[in-house]
RNA sequence: GGGAGCUUAGCUCAGUUGGGAGAGCAACUGCCCUACAAGCAGUGGGUCACAGGUUCGAGCCCUGUAGCUCCCACCA
């Protein structure tokens, strides 16, 4: 093995080997239980960012774990065409070349989009590989490939035929920049400082009397078709049924009574603009008001705004306010903060607008989707996210699915130009089925990107055909994603799966948080605080990045990226590397024995037992999707138990002459390292694979090896516990040296008062080496160590070290008294519990026994310390 | 208006069936000893936001309060 850990020198190579050997492939195997994860498809516009890195790390860790456990583990990757995001990008690119989208034909534009897909769609895939993602690339899907497109058609037609998709003139969110409708989920609300303009609308026939409306959007007044007051509002009752004159246009509009008008808010009088406000739209429906649209698709005013025709909506706002002021209609202007919806892709303020669009009727789909989660057919982890899901599902409005874009799945609707028939078909029709005319044309719009991603768990497995893959891999096991796309994606997959597959798409939804910067801010382009995972991988390796993203995470919580975390992760991996070098260099030229063939000493049994609990705990945590806890357990075992203790413990044997002892130590080192590497593999796949390839025990690839299983026969409870007493002695001597200022390298003679002489003798070499001692002398009382001895009391012994001048009797007494205090506190605690009748009556027996044992131990230690103190005089 | 999360060592965070407060980083002391100075050994450091309650026992469960963050709805 190379002397230093250098991830760059092997990560790419190992990935290529895995790939060429087909390690990632998952084919139906009826002798195995399937375990399936569908990768949330990254956008083809995307570049790998920390959010992906976290998401992929979670998934890869889980899928590797399950694969090693013997499941038929399928992790299916893919990319999303990202209709609106991609179109925005391409339009931007065109603009740079001075080309307007409108100057291109649809076909020309789509050609550019496909070119984009070819050019950049694969970029993210290459980047995912750098992380070590073990997905089945042979199944790489794309939301607009043939498979997925067929599924989209099928689903659209089914929903249409069931009456769950309809075409309607309703108020939608319009993005004047992208010039398309958006769903409610695609609108982000931001608080903005604006004004509340109080405008006086005169009563018809009066020059003085009028109603004062309060509005934040004076430019929409051209579309006002009424003013509303609350029916219970005494101030305005007398005006109900009368007309007011709409300023500037001088048109009479009625005063209507409607609950929508809040007596407490504003002036209590609301101008009603049905075409440009969702609430007003509803009022309009109740009162049969005309719907007057006064804006164009690009956010400019139309001809109904008279002289303001063609003016931008915000320019118009200013101009209208000026004119109203001049006309004497502006009564008051007050500052006002309100939230304004923005397009989630281009961040332009959206315009609520009446428009004819395609909608999915949500109520019938939402109910079963709610029940599925209530019935735990799908469970959210952590559970609290189910509440967010329920809240959204219970209040969901119909889903606007048509987009006035070109890049996406075209809506499978045709219109007959001759008879007006509307045709919804899975296959492109050539003639009208009703009148036979060939003059038909397809709906111009495309579908919301999320319409196709909603089908992802089954469209990628061959739906609508009854494929063997669908039967075997569906429903999938766990969906791993961030809590920020519950509405966009998770919820829609759930109702789609239930509706079209009759089964929920996944059993668990594992939610993780978002990766923030070192100051806790969201990483974003505009802040420029994003960290490029590829740069980090280049610097520290993919394993270190993966490790750092999982270390210390609690499921569902946000995490903060920091370079220091990656550095400490790299330090750990370096530790693994070097420990492996130690083991492997000692293996050279030797026949490696099995641990069953060698005589195991206390230390061997201790580390083997420790390994068993680590295996048990890591597996338990991973099964509960607690990746942070699993990683911590594996990390602590590797570093604290194996490296810091066991490896050091083997040195006397390995550097000695007894070949049997060497064989024993090496057998255990190899066995434990082999297991530990496997335990760690799902988290840090590259380095474990690299080291494994050098192991004398290696059989094929570690990624395909069996995950270690807890073996109770390898748990030597008694010997392991006894050995911890030996470790206590070693720790005591080390501490004594530091506390008395004795150089650690100085070899000292240990005087030990103990009842466990046999145990200590058997481990004498370990104690001498690790404690830095030259000899052990068993004595019957502390005085035998002489006057200048410093002492420590541990559970199985009193350890004394003669320190000559280094020991100051007063200091030594103070130190011992300090230790006595600690022991006394423990005695009080345990004794208190044991004298608490409630505790004795109600606590489990096991706990009571443990407390009793502790009390005995501490009482004994107390005695020893007191003896030592009295020896000091 | 509704809901969620967070508040634990100087910093970043774990602590998932209630049973002796933990890690990493930082700090301090001492060590280049043939796996590793990306290291080793040791030390110090906490009223677990606050106030109540349940319990033999609460960082953990319940109620309330405060601060911070987020989501949803409303916003004429």
């Amino acid at each position: 093995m190379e002397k230093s850990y250098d991830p760059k020198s092997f990560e790419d190579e190992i990935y290529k080997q895995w790939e060429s050997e087909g390690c990632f492939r998952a084919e139906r195997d009826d002798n195995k239980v399937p375990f399936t994860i569908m990768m949330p498809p990254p956008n083809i516009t995307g570049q790998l960012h920390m959010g992906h890195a976290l998401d992929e790390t979670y998934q890869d860790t889980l899928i590797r774990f399950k694969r090693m456990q013997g499941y038929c583990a399928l992790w299916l990757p893919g990319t999303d065409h990202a209709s609106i995001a991609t179109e925005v990008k391409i339009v931007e690119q065109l603009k740079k070349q001075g080309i307007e989208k409108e100057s291109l034909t649809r076909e020309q534009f789509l050609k550019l989009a496909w070119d984009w897909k070819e050019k950049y769609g694969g970029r993210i895939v290459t980047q995912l590989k750098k992380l070590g993602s073990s997905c089945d690339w042979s199944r790489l899907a794309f939301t607009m490939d043939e498979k997925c497109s067929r599924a989209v058609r099928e689903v659209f037609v089914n929903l249409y035929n069931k009456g769950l998709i309809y075409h309607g003139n309703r108020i939608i969110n319009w993005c004047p920049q992208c010039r398309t409708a958006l769903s409610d989920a695609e609108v982000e609300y931001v608080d903005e400082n604006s004004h509340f303009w109080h405008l006086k609308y005169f009563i018809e026939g009066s020059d003085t009397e009028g109603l004062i409306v309060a509005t934040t959007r004076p430019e929409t007044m051209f579309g006002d078709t009424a003013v509303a007051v609350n029916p219970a509002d005494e101030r305005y009752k007398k005006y109900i049924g009368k007309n007011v004159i709409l300023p500037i246009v001088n048109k009479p509009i009625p005063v209507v009574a409607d609950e929508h008008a809040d007596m407490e808010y504003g002036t209590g009088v609301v101008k009603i603009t049905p075409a440009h406000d969702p609430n007003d739209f509803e009022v309009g429906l109740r009162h049969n008001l005309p719907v007057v649209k006064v804006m164009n698709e690009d956010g400019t005013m139309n001809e109904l705004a008279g002289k303001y025709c063609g003016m931008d909506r915000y320019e118009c706002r200013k101009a209208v306010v000026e004119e109203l002021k001049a006309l004497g209609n502006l009564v008051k202007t007050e500052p006002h903060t309100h939230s304004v919806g923005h397009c989630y892709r281009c961040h332009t303020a959206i315009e609520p607008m009446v428009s004819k669009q395609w909608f999915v009727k949500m109520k019938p789909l939402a109910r079963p989707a709610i029940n599925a989660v209530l019935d735990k057919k799908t469970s959210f982890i952590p559970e609290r996210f189910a509440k967010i899901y329920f809240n959204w599902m219970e209040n969901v409005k119909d889903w606007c699915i048509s987009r006035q874009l070109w890049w996406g799945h075209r809506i499978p609707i045709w219109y007959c130009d001759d008879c007006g028939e509307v045709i919804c078909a899975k296959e492109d029709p050539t003639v009208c089925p009703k009148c036979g005319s060939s003059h038909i044309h397809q709906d111009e719009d495309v579908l919301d990107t999320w319409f196709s991603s909603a089908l992802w768990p089954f469209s990628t497995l061959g739906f609508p055909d009854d494929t063997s893959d669908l039967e075997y891999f569906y429903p999938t096991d766990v969906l791993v994603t961030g809590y920020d796309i519950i509405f966009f994606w998770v919820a829609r997959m759930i109702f789609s799966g239930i509706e079209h597959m009759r089964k929920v798409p996944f059993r668990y939804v594992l939610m993780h948080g978002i990766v923030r910067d070192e100051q806790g801010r969201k990483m974003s382009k505009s802040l420029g605080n994003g960290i490029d995972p590829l740069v980090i991988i280049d610097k520290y390796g993919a394993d270190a990045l993966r490790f750092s993203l999982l270390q210390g995470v609690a499921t569902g919580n946000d995490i903060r990226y920091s370079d220091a975390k990656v550095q400490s992760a790299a330090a750990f991996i370096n530790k693994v590397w070097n420990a492996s070098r130690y083991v492997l260099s000692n293996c050279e030229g030797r026949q490696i024995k099995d641990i069953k063939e060698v005589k195991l000493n206390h230390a061997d049994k201790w580390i083997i037992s420790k390994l068993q609990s680590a295996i048990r705990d890591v597996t338990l945590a991973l099964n509960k999707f607690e990746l942070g806890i699993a990683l911590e357990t594996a990390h602590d075992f590797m570093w604290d138990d194996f490296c810091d203790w066991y490896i050091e413990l083997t040195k006397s044997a390995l550097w000695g002459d007894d070949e049997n002892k060497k064989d024993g130590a090496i057998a255990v080192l190899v066995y434990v390292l082999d297991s530990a590497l496997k335990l760690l593999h799902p988290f840090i796949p590259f380095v474990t694979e690299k080291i494994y390839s050098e192991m004398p025990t290696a059989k094929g690839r570690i990624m395909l090896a069996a995950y270690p299983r807890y073996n109770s026969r390898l748990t030597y409870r008694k010997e392991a516990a006894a050995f911890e007493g030996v470790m206590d002695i070693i720790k005591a001597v080390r501490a004594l040296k530091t506390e008395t200022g004795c150089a650690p390298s100085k070899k000292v003679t240990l005087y030990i008062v103990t009842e466990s002489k046999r145990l200590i003798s058997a481990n004498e070499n370990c104690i001498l080496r690790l404690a830095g001692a030259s000899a052990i002398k068993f004595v019957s009382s502390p005085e035998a160590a002489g006057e200048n001895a410093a002492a420590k009391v541990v559970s199985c012994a009193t350890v004394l070290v003669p320190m000559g001048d280094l020991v100051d009797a007063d200091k030594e007494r103070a130190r011992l008294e300090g230790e006595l205090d600690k022991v006394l506190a423990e005695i009080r605690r345990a004794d208190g519990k044991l004298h608490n009748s409630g505790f004795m009556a109600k606590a489990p027996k096991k706990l009571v026994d443990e407390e009793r044992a502790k009390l005995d131990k501490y009482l004994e230690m107390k005695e020893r310390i007191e003896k030592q103190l009295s020896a000091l005089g």
Side-chain angles (χ1 to χ4, degrees), chain A residues 766-791:
Chain A
C766 298
I767 296 172
L768 294 180
R769 168 173 293 283
L770 269 64
S774 51
I776 291 177
K777 288 187 178 165
F778 292 106
V779 291
S780 54
S781 78
E783 283 86 353
E787 276 185 14
N788 291 320

Side-chain angles (χ1 to χ4, degrees), chain A residues 183 358-360 362 397-401 448 451 492 495:
Chain A
S183 68
W358 290 94
F359 296 89
V360 174
M362 286 305 301
K397 293 192 194 128
D398 288 355
W399 176 18
C400 176
I401 51 169
D448 182 358
F451 191 92
R492 286 167 178 165
F495 71 69

Side-chain angles (χ1 to χ4, degrees), chain A residues 826-827 829-858:
Chain A
E826 293 297 339
I827 290 171
R829 195 192 54 76
D831 199 50
K833 280 198 166 185
L834 292 167
H835 279 90
N836 180 326
S837 57
F839 179 79
M840 296 306 284
K842 293 185 179 174
K845 182 174 180 299
K846 192 179 162 223
L847 207 65
V848 176
D849 290 346
E850 279 172 16
E851 285 302 329
R852 203 167 272 142
K854 282 182 210 164
L855 181 62
D856 290 347
K857 182 177 108 181
Y858 286 117

Side-chain angles (χ1 to χ4, degrees), chain A residues 250-267:
Chain A
N250 293 316
K251 189 177 82 178
I253 53 173
V255 179
V256 300
D258 197 284
E259 297 288 347
H260 168 61
D262 182 345
M263 290 188 278
E264 309 295 320
Y265 196 80
T267 58

